[in-house]
Amino acid sequence: MKKIMTLVMMTVIAVSATAMNYSAARNEALFLSDKMAYELGLTATQYEAVYEINLDYLLNVNKRADVFGIWWDVRNRDLHLVLSTWQYDRYIASTWFYRPIIWSNTGMKFAIHTRYAKDRMFNHRPAVYATFKGGHSHRGNSFYSAHRYEKPNPPKGHGKTNSITSVGNNHNRPSTGNHNPSAPTRTFGKHPSGNIASNGNRTAAPKGTFGARR
């Protein structure tokens, strides 16, 4: 009996080390999305959508197979719809964004924490942080294909090529689904003041090298 109880306790510990509750997922999604906003120059509407997409992904990762499973594909598909071409190219070339979870025997770790200090934040929380509970990411048609997002111009010196450079395993660019170019622009709540302005335009990034390791 004692041996059985020990095995049960070990199982409980293993589950608690890998499963992520809503509060933890929300905080990690915020931290990751904040850094994506900084490095990819997200507008306010993009920032909110990216936060939703990241949260949905994290809430659906419960075991090693989920890290690069169907919900990772869904995340990439949805981000492809929200980001501009140059932003998406930069996203998949950045392993800390493209492959955000590092799986270990003790559970999930996050690649973004190897690049930025845990208390390093560039923007205020998106308006949806307080209200969104998950559920916009679907295996079928994308929720984000029905909306348009204000997208920034590419930075100076950005190449005009549309080629994609995958990082790690070869992975084809995900299908974007049926995007409706005439769909109405999504309306979000007023964004607090910060690096991302409430009118959807991004203000200047903090001083220092763009995208530099922190």
Side-chain angles (χ1 to χ4, degrees):
M1 178 63 72
K2 184 177 180 180
K3 187 175 182 180
I4 293 175
M5 290 299 296
T6 300
L7 289 173
V8 171
M9 290 180 65
M10 289 177 64
T11 301
V12 171
I13 292 172
V15 170
S16 64
T18 58
M20 178 171 291
N21 60 37
Y22 170 74
S23 178
R26 184 172 70 158
N27 290 334
E28 291 296 344
L30 175 64
F31 190 85
L32 176 61
S33 302
D34 175 78
K35 307 310 172 291
M36 291 177 69
Y38 173 66
E39 292 197 30
L40 303 180
L42 303 184
T43 61
T45 53
Q46 285 181 317
Y47 183 37
E48 294 195 359
V50 165
Y51 168 76
E52 292 178 352
I53 294 167
N54 284 332
L55 179 58
D56 268 332
Y57 169 66
L58 295 182
L59 288 174
N60 281 294
V61 174
N62 295 300
K63 56 184 183 297
R64 183 186 295 271
D66 294 332
V67 174
F68 299 122
I70 181 62
W71 293 110
W72 185 63
D73 291 332
V74 168
R75 175 179 183 251
N76 289 332
R77 178 203 65 191
D78 289 346
L79 287 174
H80 184 270
L81 290 166
V82 171
L83 303 177
S84 66
T85 299
W86 73 266
Q87 287 175 313
Y88 190 82
D89 288 353
R90 181 169 288 180
Y91 155 72
I92 66 171
S94 305
T95 54
W96 48 94
F97 295 149
Y98 188 53
R99 301 177 182 273
I101 294 177
I102 302 170
W103 196 270
S104 68
N105 292 333
T106 58
M108 291 182 285
K109 296 181 180 179
F110 297 88
I112 194 65
H113 292 304
T114 67
R115 185 170 174 82
Y116 291 94
K118 291 185 177 181
D119 60 348
R120 182 61 160 159
M121 297 294 289
F122 295 104
N123 304 286
H124 288 279
R125 297 171 179 174
V128 294
Y129 178 84
T131 58
F132 182 67
K133 305 297 182 181
H136 280 176
S137 293
H138 308 288
R139 298 189 185 195
N141 293 332
S142 174
F143 170 84
Y144 301 94
S145 66
H147 308 284
R148 286 186 299 167
Y149 301 88
E150 185 177 3
K151 300 176 181 180
N153 294 324
K156 290 183 179 180
H158 182 78
K160 296 182 179 180
T161 179
N162 290 326
S163 61
I164 302 295
T165 304
S166 295
V167 179
N169 297 332
N170 291 329
H171 191 84
N172 294 328
R173 190 169 187 164
S175 171
T176 61
N178 296 321
H179 182 64
N180 180 6
S182 62
T185 302
R186 186 175 183 186
T187 302
F188 291 89
K190 185 177 180 181
H191 194 283
S193 60
N195 286 337
I196 300 178
S198 59
N199 62 3
N201 296 321
R202 183 179 175 82
T203 61
K207 293 182 179 179
T209 303
F210 181 81
R213 183 184 178 116
R214 301 294 179 190

